[in-house]
Amino acid sequence: MCGILAVLGAADWLKHRGPDWSGLYQCEGNFLAQQRLAIVSPLSGDQPLYNADRTIVVVANGEIYNHKKIRKQFASKHTFSTGSDCEVIIPLYEEYGEDFVDMLDGVFAFVLYDTRTKTYMAARDAIGVNPLYIGRGSDGAVWISSEMKALNEDCVEFEIFPPGHLYSSAAGGLRRWYKPQWFAENVPATPYQPLLLREAFEKAVIKRLMTDVPFGVLLSGGLDSSLVAAVTKRHLIKTEAAEKFGAELHSFVVGLEGSPDLIAAREVADHLGTIHHEFHFTVQDGIDAIEEVIYHDETYDVTTIRASTPMFLMARKIKALGVKMVLSGEGSDELLGGYLYFHFAPNKEEFHKETCRKVKALHQYDCLRANKATSAWGLEVRVPFLDKEFINVAMSMDPEWKMYNADLGRIEKWVMRKAFDDEEHPYLPKHILYRQKEQFSDGVGYNWIDGLKAFTEQQVSDEMMKNAAKVYPHNTPVNKEAYYYRMIFERLFPQESARETVPWGPSIACSTPAAIEWVEQWKASHDPSGRLIASHNSASANHTNHANANANGNSNGKANCNCAMAANGTNGVGLVVANGTANGKMEA
C-alpha cells in the first residue's frame, strides 16, 4: 500500500503508509504527492509516474494485477519507464480517455493530471479496498487524499470518495464506473456451481501473489483465513515469488494467551506446514493502543476499533520481521452471508439484499480496518475474497444455496466449504473446513471485549451518559464504550465533516440496521458482539438449533467482522491530493 495526497507538504501526514519513497509534483496551482510502500518493482517504481513527454502525471496507491497483460497490449505504443504496475494507468488514459477504469483488475486510488488540457481525474477501486477522501478548500480547490487526516485542517468540507467512482474535473463531478448486475439488488437465479466458485477464488489468490518483497498470510484458524492460507500454500511453488523468496509460507496470528484464534491457527499452520508466528498481547496492551488506533483508523465505530486494535499490534511485529505484504480473509462473510445473524434471514430475498448492503458498506468497516490498522506500520493487506471476478461469481448465485438450512446440513458459508471439500486432494481437514466462524475481536480472546467494557465503564460516568445526546447530537453514543471512543475521535478530528464519515445505527453481530428487524429481541441490544447470537456455537456443532439472541455465546474459528453499528468505521494508504480549481460539484 501507499498514500496519495494532492497538496504541498501534505504527504507528511501519510508517511506511515509509504515509508520507502516520497514523491512530489507541482504545476501552477496543482500539487500531487505520494508516499510509496514498494511491493512491486521496488527499485524502479517511484512516483509520480509520467508519460514520455511528461504531460501526463499520475500518483497512485494500488496493485494492478493485470498490469503485465496491459503492458503487452501497449508495448508498441507506449514507452514504459518503470516496472510499476500502476504505470499502465497512463497508456490506458491516452488510449481511452477517462473511460478505462473498469479495465483495471486490482485495488487502487489514484489521481491523474493532464497538463495539456489542465484537467484531472481521480478514481477508487470497485469495493473501496483502498481508502480515499475528497474535500474542498476555502478557495474552491479540490483536495483528494488516502486519509482524512491530510484534509482535516485545510478543507472546509470533506467526505469519503465513494468506491467504484471517478471524479472528473472536465465533466464537473463524480460518476460511477463500477456497475455490476448485483448492485441493483435483484435476486439472482444462477445455480450453485462449486467448481466455478473454487476456481474463481483460487485465481483471486494466485494473482495476489504478485510481489517483489517477502510476504505472508494472516491466519486465525477460521474458514476464511484458512482457505486463503491453504490455496496460497498449494500454488506458491509455481509463482515468481517462490523463485525469489522460496516456497516456505509464513503465517501470523494475534491473540490473548489461550485465545480461540491462537489454538485454531496453530492447528491449521501445523496441517499446512507454514512457518507460523504467534503474537500475544494483553488487555492492557490493547487499551494503551486505543488512541493510536482511532488516529489511524479515523473512526469511532465500536466494532472497528475492537477488531483493529489486535490487528494494529500484530502489524507492527510483522513489519519488524521484514514482511511488507500479507494476504487476509476479509469480505467472505459479506458476500456469502457468513455472519451468524444471517441464520435468521426470513427468506432468500432478504438474505440477498442484506449481502448487497454489506458488500456496499465494506469500505467503511472491514476494508477500512484491514487497510488502516496495517498501513499504520507500512504493511499492505491483500484481500482475495474481494476480487472483482470472485465477487461476480459469488453475487450471481441463487441465494437459496447460501442460506442456513439445518435439514440439509448447511451451515453458514456452506457453498464455500463444499467447494473446497475435495476428498482426493483435501485443502483442509473436515473439522477445520466446517468450523464455525468467530468475530475477530472475539476470536483474539473473549477477555478482550470484556476488558474494554470494564475499562470504559470507569472512564465514562453515568452523568456523562445522561448528557450524551447534548454533547454528541450526531450519532449519539449508546453505551460507555462508544462514548469513550467518541471522546478521543472528537479530540483528534473535531470537524463536522469528520464525524459524518462514520456510519452509525443499531447492529447485532455486524448486521446492518435493516436486518435488526428480523428478530424482535435484537432491537433492544446495545452490544454489536457476535456472542449475542444464540446459534453462535450450536449451529456448527449440531447444524440445528436456532434460538433467540442472548448474551453468552461461545465459538471457535474466525470472522473478520468490522462492521459497525451498535456504536460506529474507515481505511488507508498514502495517496495524493489534487489541488486546483474545482470544476463542478462533489456530489455523485
Side-chain angles (χ1 to χ4, degrees), residues 1 61-65 105-109 125 129-130 208 383:
M1 286 303 171
N61 161 30
E63 302 294 340
I64 310 301
Y65 301 119
D105 181 9
V107 296
F108 50 82
D125 66 72
V129 173
N130 285 10
R208 281 161 179 78
V383 284

Side-chain angles (χ1 to χ4, degrees), residues 62 139 217 264 326 333 336 378 427 431 478 485 511 545 570:
D139 59 353
V217 295
V326 290
D333 292 311
L336 303 174
Y427 289 78
H431 71 281
V478 296
Y485 300 155
S511 73
N545 301 329
T570 171

Side-chain angles (χ1 to χ4, degrees), residues 466-528:
K466 286 179 184 177
N467 294 312
K470 294 179 182 177
V471 178
Y472 303 119
H474 179 77
N475 290 349
T476 303
V478 296
N479 56 45
K480 291 185 177 181
E481 185 183 0
Y483 194 107
Y484 180 72
Y485 300 155
R486 185 64 173 274
M487 286 194 298
I488 296 173
F489 180 89
E490 292 286 340
R491 177 160 42 82
L492 295 170
F493 307 104
Q495 292 79 357
E496 183 68 27
S497 290
R499 65 182 67 100
E500 290 178 352
T501 65
V502 181
W504 197 261
S507 175
I508 287 289
C510 294
S511 73
T512 68
I516 291 290
E517 300 299 318
W518 294 350
V519 176
E520 186 65 30
Q521 292 92 326
W522 292 353
K523 299 175 186 178
S525 174
H526 287 164
D527 187 339

Side-chain angles (χ1 to χ4, degrees), residues 97-132:
E98 295 177 343
D99 298 324
F100 70 88
V101 183
D102 200 25
M103 301 175 191
L104 298 173
D105 181 9
V107 296
F108 50 82
F110 69 83
V111 176
L112 180 150
Y113 182 64
D114 189 332
T115 64
R116 302 166 301 183
T117 58
K118 298 187 185 302
T119 58
Y120 57 89
M121 67 171 291
R124 189 178 182 189
D125 66 72
I127 302 300
V129 173
N130 285 10
L132 200 61

Side-chain angles (χ1 to χ4, degrees), residues 254-275:
V254 65
L256 301 179
E257 195 81 47
S259 67
D261 279 3
L262 296 183
I263 298 167
R266 170 60 65 184
E267 182 182 16
V268 176
D270 287 346
H271 172 78
L272 296 177
T274 67
I275 300 173

Side-chain angles (χ1 to χ4, degrees), residues 412-473:
E412 67 280 348
K413 292 183 286 194
W414 176 85
V415 291
M416 202 71 186
R417 302 175 196 272
K418 184 64 175 176
F420 282 89
D421 193 349
D422 189 328
E423 296 284 353
E424 253 186 87
H425 306 287
Y427 289 78
L428 294 166
K430 282 189 185 292
H431 71 281
I432 295 174
L433 192 61
Y434 289 93
R435 174 183 284 150
Q436 191 183 27
K437 78 174 275 76
E438 182 94 50
Q439 286 197 171
F440 182 65
S441 50
D442 286 340
V444 297
Y446 298 128
N447 287 341
W448 168 231
I449 303 300
D450 298 335
L452 279 176
K453 290 180 178 178
F455 172 75
T456 54
E457 181 73 28
Q458 296 173 346
Q459 305 304 309
V460 179
S461 68
D462 293 340
E463 188 66 25
M464 293 165 74
M465 284 304 302
K466 286 179 184 177
N467 294 312
K470 294 179 182 177
V471 178
Y472 303 119

Side-chain angles (χ1 to χ4, degrees), residues 63-69 85 104-107 204 207-210 380-383 387:
E63 302 294 340
I64 310 301
Y65 301 119
N66 62 338
H67 77 104
K68 289 184 178 180
K69 180 179 178 182
D85 50 298
L104 298 173
D105 181 9
V107 296
K207 70 176 68 169
R208 281 161 179 78
L209 303 182
M210 176 186 81
E380 174 174 294
V381 170
R382 295 183 179 175
V383 284
D387 178 81

Side-chain angles (χ1 to χ4, degrees), residues 2-7 11 14 21-26 31-36 45-50 56-62 84 86-87 89-90 108-114 120-123 132 144-146 574-579:
C2 312
I4 62 172
L5 166 74
V7 165
L14 302 174
W21 175 262
S22 298
L24 177 66
Y25 169 84
Q26 183 268 328
F31 301 86
L32 290 89
Q34 198 252 11
Q35 290 295 142
R36 186 182 185 212
D46 297 336
Q47 297 189 32
L49 301 165
Y50 304 90
I56 296 172
V57 191
V58 169
V59 288
N61 161 30
S84 170
C86 291
E87 190 178 350
I89 292 170
I90 293 173
F108 50 82
F110 69 83
V111 176
L112 180 150
Y113 182 64
D114 189 332
Y120 57 89
M121 67 171 291
L132 200 61
I144 299 170
S145 175
S146 291
L575 216 140
V576 195
V577 164
N579 188 9

